[in-house]
Structure formats: C-alpha cells, structure tokens
Amino acid sequence: MEYRTHLMVCTGTACVSCGAFDVKKTLEAEIKKQGLDKEVLVVGTGCQGFCAQGPIVVVQPDDIFYQLMQIEDIPFLVEEHFLKGRPVKKMMYTPPGEKTEIPTMSEIGFFNKQRLIALRNKGLIDAEKIDDYIGRDGYKAFIKALTEMTPDEIVQEIKDSGLRGRGGGGFPTGLKWEICKKQKGEKKYIICNADEGDPGAYMDRSIIESDPHAVIEGMLIGAMAIGANEGVVYLRTEYPLAITRLETAIEQAKEYGLLGEDIMEQGFEFNLRIKQGAGAFVCGEETALIASIEGKRGMPNKRPPFPAESGLWGLPTNINNVETWANIPWIISNGSERYAEIGTEKSKGTKVFSLVGKINNTGLVEVPMGITLKEIIFDIGGGVPDGKKFKAVQMGGPSGGCIPAELEDTIIDYDSVNATGAIMGSGGMVVMDETTCMVDVAKYFLNFTQEESCGKCTFCRVGTKRMLEILQRICDGNGEEGDIEKLEELAAQIKDSSLCGLGQTAPNPVLTTLKYFRHEYEAHIYDKKCPAKACKPLLTFGINDQCIGCTACARVCPPKAISGERKEKHVIDQDKCIKCGACLDTCKFKAIDVN
Amino acid sequence: MAKLSIKDLEEIRNKVKKTAMLREGISNAKITVHMGTCGIAAGARTIMNTVIKIVEESKRDDIIVTTSGCAGFCSKEPMATIELKGEAPVKYSDLTEDKIRRIFDEHVLKGKIVKDYALVIGSEREL
Ligand SMILES: Cc1cc2nc3c(=O)[nH]c(=O)nc-3n(C[C@H](O)[C@H](O)[C@H](O)COP(=O)(O)O)c2cc1C
Ligand code: SF4
C-alpha cells in the first residue's frame, strides 16, 4: 500500500541532541496504535536548518511545520492531525513578537527567502536510503556526464557556471579542475575537504548528514573530468553521525555499482574512502590535510608545488570543499547557464551559512549570492533577541572579520565581503548585539588561532601569542598607550611572514575590529571602561538612591563587600568587590549601577 | 544486490519518483477525506481505505490523498473534497464505497464532476 502522508522528522545533529530519535520512535508507536501505520510513514531526514526550533517534524504533502516537539504532545498530535485531519496549532511556529502561528513551511520567513542548491534534498529524503536520493533525480547528472559528455565538456561546464570554492578561498572550481586535468601521469587523486574547523560552523557536517550521495555524485563527476580513480573524504572524527551516514552511502553506492570497477558497465573506475581527521583546525589547510592523510604530522607545506601538480603521495590531486562538491550535480543537470543566472557578476550561485550568536533563528541557511547581510540577519534570521540592538556580524571564522551594523547593506559576494576586511570564508556567521565587547571578540578568535597554530612559523607561533597577551591586558584594564600600534605592527608582520592561511589571516579579527570599533579599544585603554559592559575587570558596581535598604544584595555578595543598616542606603567596598554581578541580579529596585 | 545498469537505475528512479513528488507536494489532483469525529462515526475510515486502494490501483503518481477535519456539514458525512490542479475544489457528501469509486473514475481520472453526489463547488467561503 502507498503512504498518503510522510512525516519528515529532522535527525540532524542539533535535533538529535534535543531528542529527535525519541520523537521519531514515539511517533511510530502512536501511529501504529491508531492503526495508521499503513498510511503514514515516518522518515528520518538530515538537518532542516531551523535548528533553534528543534525537534522538527514536517508533514508532507501538506507542508505543515511542527517545531519544539515534546514527547507528551505526540499522542494528541497523531490523533488530531493524522487521524482526524486537524493540524495542531499550538505546535506550529510563531515568529518572535507575533501572535499568529504560521502553519506551512513555505510561508515561514526563515525558509522562503532561501534558494536551495547544495541543500536541495534537505528534509526531503532519508539520508540512509540511496533510493530516496535516486528518486530526486540523484545520479542522473553523473549518468549524463558518463554517457554524454567528454571530460573537457564537463570542465568547461563547471568553468562556465562560475562556481568558486566554498571552503574559504573562493578559487574558481572549473579552473582548478582544468589545471589538475592537464597534469601528466597515470594516477590522480581527488579529495573532499570535510575538516570544517571554524568555531560555530556546521554547513559541511549538515550537507553530509542530510545528503551524502550529493557529495559522492559530485566527486564521481569530478573524478571523470580530471581522470582520477581514487578519492578520499577527509572528515573530522568529531562528526560521528556524518561519518556513519557517509559510510552507509558509500556502501550503498558500491552495491549499486556506482563506485568500484567498471561503473555502470562504462569502463570507468572510481573508489572512495573516508579518512578521519583528528580535528585540528590547521588540517583543513590543503597541504596539511594531505600530509595528514599520508600519516604524517598535519603541518602545512610550502606552495608551489600546488596539490594539482604534486599532492597526495606526490601525485596530481584536486581538493574541493564539501559544499563545492554538492553543487556539481546540480550544475551538470541544470546547465551552467541556469547556475550563472543566480548571484552577482563575479560570485555565482548560492552559499550556505550557519547563523549563530545573538540571533532569533539560529540555524543553517542557503541563500543566493547578492542577498544583503540585512536580509539574512533580519528577514531570515528574525533579528536580534530581547529587543537588543544589532552591532556586528563576524564572517569567515578566525580568518575573517567583523562587519559593523552600518554596513548591513553589504551584499554577499566574494569581493564585497572582502572589501569590508572580512572574508566570505566557509560560511560561519556569528551575530553580535550591543552587549558584545569587540575587543573581547577579537581576543576570542585570536585565542583560537593561537592555540591551533602548528608552530612551524615563528611569527604565527609567537606573534599571535604576543598579540593575545596585549588583548588580555587591555581587557583586564591594564592597557597602555601604544598597545594599538603594537597590535597593528605585529599583525602586519604575522601576515607577511606566515607560511599558510592560518597565520596569514589570524590578525584579521583584530584588524577589522580596530578598523570599525577603534573607539572601544581606546575606551578600554585610556578610560579603563568597556562600553559594552562585558569586560568584568573594567566595571565598577555602585549603589544609587533607589536603594531602600532591603539587605538582599548584602546577603548574596560572596566576599561580603556590601554593608549598610536596614532601611538605609548600602555601599559597596570597591577593594573587596570581585565584580561577580550577584547584587545586580538580586536587586529588585534597580539600585545597582554598573559603569 | 547485484550491480545495476543505467536502465536499472532509471527503473528505481521511476519507482520512487512518486514518493519524491509527494514529499514536495507536487500533484495534479488532491483528494481530501474529512475525518472529524462526525466523519469517522459515519464511516470516513472505510472511505479513506478505499481511496488509498483505488489510487494505488490507478498507478497514477500525481494524486495526493490527505485528511482534514470536520467540514461543517456533519449530517452529510462521510465527505470528501476533490481538487484538480487549477480548478475549484468540489465537495462530495454522503459517500459510500461505490460512490467514491465512481467519483474517482469520472472526476479525478476524466475531469468530469459527478453532479449527482456533489454538494458544493468551490470552498465554503465562496458560498
Ligand atoms: C587554516 C586553514 C583551514 C582551512 N580549513 C578548511 C576547512 O575546514 N574546510 C575546507 O573546505 N577548506 C579549508 N581550508 C581551505 C583549503 O585549504 C582549500 O583551499 C579548500 O579545501 C579548497 O576547496 P574549495 O576550492 O572547494 O574551496 C582551510 C585553509 C586554511 C588556511
Ligand atoms: S602560518 Fe602558522 S599554522 Fe601555518 S604553517 Fe606557519 S605556524 Fe603553521
């Protein structure tokens, strides 16, 4: 019997961590109990993207979107909606600040401004079933490439599409393939970079979890074009769900004869394996990644020679990011012209971003190039929570920079983003509000790169450490005149004398915050004040005339720094105060001032 | 599982295409069985089972079957609404297995409204 309704339960990592597997199990049990198990099918899908609202269930073909699913509500939901046909309002999504629920997924702002190419199958297929992928025209592009196109035609198609690498650098993909294709030699390799080390970024994980065959198909097409017959996916160990799903997908593709020898009886051979990376940020850099696959220490090497000439085991190697690979089948199926219609002059297609930080709709979004930052943050992201003001967005992770609110009309396009001093990067977007201190943000990212530096280059190893010490001093209230200049000088030297991208871009977060928020550095150094009131050592707590002498604060103050008679105004002993903020949280009369 | 040929792959695609289309909400016809408490009491469950069976028999992969709540004419249950792509929905009332079969053959497959059983054409709001 055919199923009339499909319940697409998101089983991406974020939803699983809030109980998606239990939701799925309970749904299945209730549906069986109501005798609907021959009509209603429960499907586990990859990440739907709207992670803030998980666990998520989408009912198809009706397109009803249920969110924040609770196990207790499931019996009611099954009876009301799936038996009696009455969608349940209270489990639908209501946008922040609004009162009416939005029943269908396509009406929700978070979804309807997106343009799905790399994530075209998200939420529509069971990632562990190859047939589901095939039903959505999966492997059709590969068959087209295999039977109707020459390697040159494939390369030309990718060149014409204007696709640029999504791993951060933005190098034109078709051109990269052409260079590798032209190399002489019997054996060539292709690699999928799924190391994804940027803090807060999870685009690549999500693509593999929701649609692993898209990556395999992209690699098959690339392998044909370049003339490689061996591929490696470098996937970090911290992504267990992605590893299992990709392993399953590779197994299934082998069984179907889509991987291995004499694929589809056309005489083409391609084998694919997974190499688990131990999760060092620097191993995402291509030469370090290759060293790591070879069993050596994951340290970058100098380029040239580029991997296209001498890569894995010294042989020509083409390396692309997960998202880049996932775009390939769509381009081959739909043609480069259609792909190039999307986006701006020099940046074509779409980009996946993970939206995190001070934003209502935390999640994963795929948007057309050319969209503005403002549209992403407000229309899709739902703006900043708690009525706070949007201050800046950090793009490109530790190699990127902070774009201030004044530049919210900046469009998503490699050149426009670069012009701000940030970079497109791999797609992490961390949104900050007025309570975020920009010196603190710069310190956070620099701390990350400093720890992840492989140590090969002196400036990257020691220079970042010196910069970090200065930033720490500034945040502690011990900033000195000349610190800003010292930071700038060190930044320039680190950029100049580092071997790899990690060192070359490590100062970017400091440089962009200095460019747009210099006054915050100055306030820390000269006035010993943190304008965002985030750096604790720079705050002073005081008690104003609103105090009625209730003694509540004195009782919670850990070092007993507050004194005063009952019903009289209290005072804080500044020498004893450890600036923990307990009094501020306790006082009901707004009598605590923070300066 | 033996290795597949290009033809086998195409066959799998055609087999699962219907599922894919259903999940995307792509259809040329939609049959809604009203399953409020009143509908279920009047036998909507049997109508639903019949509908699912005949849709399957027809081998059409562009027909969606769904449920909705009480349509507001409780005395006329069981009811179903047929909506062909680009046309106004038609509500049928007092259904039996035979009636729904005829409605399916004439309306869904051939596009001819079965006037004998039709209650309203268009949604309630337009009445
Ligand atoms: C420190 C550092 C970390 C990197 N991390 C990643 C990563 O996690 N994923 C990725 O795809 N590329 C990463 N890259 C970029 C890769 O070196 C390489 O350019 C990319 O994988 C090429 O693929 P693309 O052309 O499809 O973008 C990193 C580069 C540097 C310098
Ligand atoms: S720049 Fe830093 S991470 Fe890169 S090779 Fe040099 S020390 Fe290692």
Side-chain angles (χ1 to χ4, degrees):
Chain A
M1 191 134 106
E2 303 274 0
Y3 295 100
R4 63 172 163 88
T5 299
H6 293 222
L7 307 186
M8 314 305 283
V9 183
C10 178
T11 51
T13 293
C15 280
V16 167
S17 68
C18 16
F21 283 136
D22 290 336
V23 166
K24 183 164 179 264
K25 249 194 273 159
T26 316
L27 270 171
E28 280 163 344
E30 277 302 314
I31 280 165
K32 194 152 188 193
K33 209 164 106 196
Q34 294 284 2
L36 295 170
D37 51 324
K38 298 233 159 51
E39 296 168 32
V40 181
L41 179 69
V42 182
V43 187
T45 73
C47 182
Q48 289 273 9
F50 206 176
C51 308
Q53 307 303 120
I56 287 166
V57 176
V58 185
V59 184
Q60 294 296 8
D62 308 342
D63 198 33
I64 305 283
F65 183 82
Y66 290 123
Q67 42 120 41
L68 300 170
M69 299 284 298
Q70 303 277 329
I71 301 287
E72 310 84 85
D73 295 335
I74 290 177
F76 179 72
L77 173 75
V78 171
E79 181 175 341
E80 280 297 298
H81 190 165
F82 309 126
L83 182 66
K84 295 184 177 166
R86 290 191 289 240
V88 180
K89 276 202 175 152
K90 69 165 193 187
M91 295 161 85
M92 293 173 185
Y93 170 71
T94 309
E98 289 180 28
K99 292 208 174 67
T100 323
E101 306 84 3
I102 303 183
T104 65
M105 187 153 103
S106 49
E107 289 170 295
I108 296 175
F110 179 80
F111 294 105
N112 64 18
K113 275 221 166 182
Q114 297 194 43
R115 178 80 165 86
L116 304 183
I117 292 183
L119 298 172
R120 59 196 172 277
N121 290 328
K122 82 165 178 186
L124 290 171
I125 62 170
D126 181 334
E128 293 175 13
K129 295 212 173 95
I130 187 171
D131 285 5
D132 272 25
Y133 179 72
I134 293 172
R136 299 252 318 140
D137 287 342
Y139 291 109
K140 216 174 175 169
F142 168 60
I143 298 295
K144 180 176 169 188
L146 188 66
T147 56
E148 296 168 27
M149 297 171 83
T150 64
D152 284 320
E153 283 166 352
I154 301 172
V155 170
Q156 194 57 44
E157 194 75 357
I158 301 302
K159 273 172 95 175
D160 292 344
S161 75
L163 174 66
R164 293 168 67 168
R166 300 294 190 238
F171 191 83
T173 306
L175 188 60
K176 197 188 249 186
W177 287 16
E178 188 174 60
I179 297 169
C180 193
K181 179 176 179 301
K182 280 193 183 142
Q183 299 300 314
K184 299 222 162 47
E186 291 269 293
K187 195 158 176 72
K188 292 176 189 171
Y189 290 97
I190 60 171
I191 295 176
C192 171
N193 188 343
D195 190 54
E196 197 166 50
D198 292 15
Y202 58 104
M203 300 74 55
D204 296 345
R205 181 189 81 202
S206 208
I207 292 174
I208 295 180
E209 282 177 8
S210 60
D211 200 9
H213 288 286
V215 178
I216 300 179
E217 188 177 2
M219 291 184 81
L220 272 164
I221 296 168
M224 262 203 64
I226 291 160
N229 51 30
E230 217 178 306
V232 183
V233 180
Y234 190 87
L235 184 53
R236 58 173 39 213
T237 307
E238 289 104 319
Y239 285 174
L241 198 58
I243 293 173
T244 327
R245 291 207 176 138
L246 188 61
E247 274 170 353
T248 310
I250 291 177
E251 259 337 288
Q252 290 170 340
K254 269 192 206 156
E255 273 178 30
Y256 272 15
L258 286 159
L259 287 175
E261 289 168 15
D262 194 18
I263 294 173
M264 296 282 123
E265 300 159 347
Q266 304 291 310
F268 170 61
E269 179 183 349
F270 183 64
N271 294 294
L272 187 60
R273 67 181 174 101
I274 300 174
K275 162 79 188 173
Q276 292 189 25
F281 178 60
V282 76
C283 284
E285 196 281 331
E286 53 192 26
T287 59
L289 185 150
I290 288 170
S292 168
I293 296 179
E294 289 172 347
K296 301 187 192 128
R297 252 181 93 173
M299 278 184 158
N301 286 307
K302 81 177 191 326
R303 296 179 311 179
F306 287 91
E309 301 144 35
S310 170
L312 188 55
W313 310 114
L315 297 170
T317 304
N318 179 78
I319 172 161
N320 279 119
N321 165 263
V322 174
E323 191 184 330
T324 315
W325 288 119
N327 272 295
I328 302 292
W330 195 96
I331 297 172
I332 296 296
S333 285
N334 296 278
S336 55
E337 238 169 82
R338 271 195 63 199
Y339 191 82
E341 278 168 14
I342 309 165
T344 63
E345 200 198 326
K346 288 196 182 138
S347 304
K348 301 297 187 189
T350 59
K351 178 77 197 88
V352 182
F353 289 102
S354 58
L355 269 179
V356 295
K358 304 288 177 62
I359 186 132
N360 275 311
N361 303 340
T362 309
L364 203 73
V365 301
E366 181 171 0
V367 290
M369 298 278 189
I371 194 173
T372 64
L373 277 174
K374 194 163 137 192
E375 285 174 281
I376 298 182
I377 292 164
F378 291 94
D379 300 344
I380 297 176
V384 176
D386 308 323
K388 298 236 168 67
K389 245 174 64 198
F390 165 53
K391 183 171 182 178
V393 56
Q394 151 82 24
M395 277 183 75
S399 310
C402 287
I403 304 177
E406 309 91 84
L407 298 181
E408 64 183 12
D409 290 322
T410 304
I411 58 168
I412 297 296
D413 159 294
Y414 287 94
D415 307 299
S416 311
V417 175
N418 283 348
T420 67
I423 60 164
M424 184 85 100
S426 59
M429 264 196 194
V430 188
V431 179
M432 294 154 191
D433 71 9
E434 54 192 322
T435 64
T436 317
C437 166
M438 301 317 277
V439 187
D440 193 42
V441 166
K443 194 181 78 182
Y444 169 81
F445 282 108
L446 196 68
N447 185 40
F448 179 86
T449 33
Q450 200 273 319
E451 280 184 0
E452 294 290 336
S453 164
C454 82
K456 199 170 192 170
C457 319
T458 315
F459 270 97
C460 174
R461 184 181 70 238
V462 187
T464 53
K465 184 135 188 108
R466 292 291 97 86
M467 282 181 81
L468 188 63
E469 285 163 2
I470 297 174
L471 289 174
Q472 187 62 52
R473 238 188 21 235
I474 295 176
C475 289
D476 286 345
N478 301 320
E480 297 161 6
E481 194 164 345
D483 275 352
I484 294 180
E485 292 70 22
K486 243 183 246 160
L487 283 172
E488 284 171 333
E489 194 183 327
L490 276 166
Q493 287 168 338
I494 295 170
K495 272 176 162 293
D496 260 2
S497 30
S498 292
L499 176 64
C500 86
L502 190 147
Q504 288 157 9
T505 59
N508 284 354
V510 178
L511 291 175
T512 50
T513 46
L514 269 174
K515 178 168 170 192
Y516 298 113
F517 299 96
R518 202 179 186 92
H519 53 279
E520 285 196 28
Y521 282 82
E522 288 165 353
H524 281 75
I525 297 171
Y526 303 113
D527 311 335
K528 306 290 175 215
K529 285 206 160 77
C530 173
K533 299 185 181 172
C535 296
K536 286 246 166 80
L538 291 174
L539 303 181
T540 42
F541 289 75
I543 297 178
N544 63 33
D545 290 342
Q546 305 275 24
C547 176
I548 61 155
C550 75
T551 75
C553 60
R555 274 180 279 137
V556 298
C557 177
K560 305 261 171 274
I562 304 180
S563 58
E565 291 298 315
R566 258 190 98 76
K567 299 200 176 164
E568 273 173 35
K569 189 176 154 187
H570 283 42
V571 284
I572 302 179
D573 181 345
Q574 295 300 337
D575 291 339
K576 280 195 193 161
C577 175
I578 56 164
K579 301 167 187 186
C580 68
C583 50
L584 185 67
D585 296 337
T586 311
C587 181
K588 295 200 178 81
F589 305 97
K590 297 202 167 82
I592 310 287
D593 285 334
V594 188
N595 285 308
Chain B
M1 175 100 214
K3 288 194 175 172
L4 306 184
S5 66
I6 294 175
K7 208 169 116 255
D8 299 332
L9 202 65
E10 202 50 43
E11 268 164 27
I12 295 179
R13 191 181 332 276
N14 291 333
K15 222 173 70 203
V16 283
K17 192 104 210 173
K18 176 169 183 173
T19 309
M21 284 168 71
L22 180 94
R23 288 179 190 168
E24 278 186 276
I26 299 171
S27 71
N28 289 315
K30 184 163 141 188
I31 307 174
T32 308
V33 182
H34 297 271
M35 299 271 278
T37 308
C38 48
I40 295 175
R45 194 69 267 162
T46 326
I47 301 300
M48 176 54 112
N49 292 342
T50 313
V51 168
I52 292 178
K53 207 158 79 211
I54 51 186
V55 170
E56 202 179 331
E57 283 163 9
S58 76
K59 298 226 173 344
R60 283 270 299 263
D61 56 10
D62 56 345
I63 300 171
I64 285 179
V65 181
T66 180
T67 58
S68 86
C70 171
F73 302 92
C74 306
S75 60
K76 301 211 178 292
E77 296 281 1
M79 290 176 50
T81 304
I82 308 284
E83 202 175 340
L84 298 188
K85 197 173 176 181
E87 285 177 33
V90 180
K91 275 199 172 55
Y92 291 99
S93 63
D94 298 302
L95 295 174
T96 61
E97 277 191 68
D98 290 340
K99 284 186 188 173
I100 194 75
R101 272 184 190 278
R102 191 176 142 201
I103 293 166
F104 186 82
D105 288 341
E106 294 184 16
H107 188 172
V108 179
L109 296 182
K110 302 200 186 95
K112 253 182 35 223
I113 295 172
V114 186
K115 292 237 169 64
D116 301 353
Y117 312 144
L119 182 69
V120 277
I121 300 179
S123 64
E124 290 99 302
R125 261 169 270 135
E126 289 158 28
L127 277 179

